[in-house]
Amino acid sequence: MKNKLIIVAAIIIAVVGTIIFWQHQLKNKGTQPGDGTQAVEEQLPSINGVPVARDIAEARPLAIVIENHIDSRPQSGLTHADIVYETLAEAGITRFLALYQTQKPKEIGPIRSARPYFSFIANEWGAGFAHVGGSATALAELNDKKYPKLVDINEMSYGSSFIRIKERPAPHNTYTTVEKLRELLSKKDWEDWTPITLGEFKTIPTEQLQNAITKISVSFFSPSYSLTFTFDPSTGLYARNSGGKPAIDKNNDMQIYPRNVLVQFVDDYTIPLEGTTGVDLKLDRSGSAILFTGGTKI
């Protein structure tokens, strides 16, 4: 299947109210004690582009597979993710890969299984890759160390880093926290990470926000997974609706409002998947994309 919109990919979801500009910032050198001025804490760009304290900016990102089945909604932790990818999965269902570095939500989930394209993306970020099992292909690739930049955090191997809640039935009941995963990274000596070069989103002043594009719509196979993002010129954010309803974070009952929505067009193809047909994505090549930001498209 060629030239098909198969992922609302790199749906870049900022923390609500955060300005995402994806620029490298000059380091705040501060001043030397005793010269009559106050020293300024050095800051570096985080993975979402916002300057943060050095220890946060240099922390290894966590890439967590979060499901989007209708029985998994509302999910927990998406409003606190720095970046979220949403891709087509099997049977017309989409899933998320949420990246965390700067925030620590109460809980994150429900967490589901790995796919090769999620491993590919997590590897690009050199992330700690958290998931519950995976397809045979995904697990074989992880076991063969095909993605050397990531560290594999499979719930099947590190169950104490995950939580099985009683409020939801399996398989929609696996959650985790940033604290639990970072504790594992420390214990396994997996904390070392080389910050990657970031892309750049320019900052758009409020008075320059436009209404050229006020609504983005994406249709998948089922109406339950249709998406809309409606631009609010008063905030510069895009209100996300899923299946005709506001997409809510269970942690705080807040609607998800990304500042930038990036839609990538990639080729997909079918693969065998444990008795059924699965989907894989060709992510290792160039292609077209549309960036929606500030009420405009680029």
Side-chain angles (χ1 to χ4, degrees), residues 181-235:
L181 296 180
R182 294 221 175 275
E183 181 180 353
L184 178 65
L185 292 183
S186 176
K187 180 179 179 181
K188 302 291 289 187
D189 197 22
W190 288 342
E191 293 180 296
D192 288 345
W193 175 70
T194 302
I196 67 172
T197 301
L198 302 175
E200 293 186 2
F201 289 133
K202 66 180 181 180
T203 303
I204 301 178
T206 302
E207 63 273 13
Q208 294 181 20
L209 296 176
Q210 300 182 34
N211 277 319
I213 304 294
T214 58
K215 189 173 184 179
I216 310 161
S217 299
V218 181
S219 297
F220 291 101
F221 295 109
S222 167
S224 298
Y225 299 93
S226 63
L227 294 176
T228 62
F229 293 88
T230 303
F231 181 66
D232 181 352
S234 67
T235 62

Side-chain angles (χ1 to χ4, degrees), residues 3-197:
N3 298 322
K4 176 184 176 185
L5 173 61
I6 53 167
I7 48 177
V8 183
I11 290 184
I12 300 174
I13 295 183
V15 179
V16 173
T18 300
I19 297 176
I20 304 302
F21 46 89
W22 282 56
Q23 292 176 331
H24 289 289
Q25 300 296 305
L26 294 176
K27 297 178 181 179
N28 293 324
K29 297 181 179 180
T31 54
Q32 297 298 319
D35 65 359
T37 59
Q38 184 176 359
V40 178
E41 181 181 12
E42 182 181 33
Q43 292 191 322
L44 298 174
S46 64
I47 62 170
N48 69 21
V50 174
V52 293
R54 172 182 281 274
D55 61 329
I56 296 176
E58 294 181 346
R60 186 169 214 154
L62 300 168
I64 304 174
V65 179
I66 299 177
E67 69 167 319
N68 192 31
H69 190 279
I70 56 176
D71 292 340
S72 73
R73 303 173 187 170
Q75 298 89 347
S76 298
L78 289 177
T79 55
H80 288 86
D82 292 296
I83 299 170
V84 174
Y85 293 80
E86 180 172 7
T87 79
L88 183 65
E90 297 77 45
I93 294 174
T94 64
R95 282 187 183 176
F96 306 104
L97 185 69
L99 273 66
Y100 296 86
Q101 186 190 48
T102 67
Q103 300 291 318
K104 296 179 180 180
K106 176 183 175 182
E107 63 181 14
I108 302 168
I111 302 172
R112 289 300 298 271
S113 55
R115 295 293 183 268
Y117 39 88
F118 287 142
S119 302
F120 183 98
I121 297 168
N123 188 68
E124 287 189 314
W125 288 95
F129 181 41
H131 57 98
V132 180
S135 66
T137 300
L139 294 179
E141 290 180 348
L142 290 168
N143 289 335
D144 292 342
K145 310 298 183 185
K146 180 177 179 178
Y147 305 101
K149 295 180 182 179
L150 64 74
V151 291
D152 184 18
I153 308 176
N154 188 345
E155 189 261 355
M156 303 300 181
S157 300
Y158 303 103
S160 62
S161 297
F162 296 78
I163 306 162
R164 295 275 182 165
I165 67 171
K166 297 179 180 180
E167 294 87 337
R168 287 184 167 178
H172 316 296
N173 62 341
T174 305
Y175 290 72
T176 191
T177 65
V178 168
E179 290 84 356
K180 281 184 173 292
L181 296 180
R182 294 221 175 275
E183 181 180 353
L184 178 65
L185 292 183
S186 176
K187 180 179 179 181
K188 302 291 289 187
D189 197 22
W190 288 342
E191 293 180 296
D192 288 345
W193 175 70
T194 302
I196 67 172
T197 301

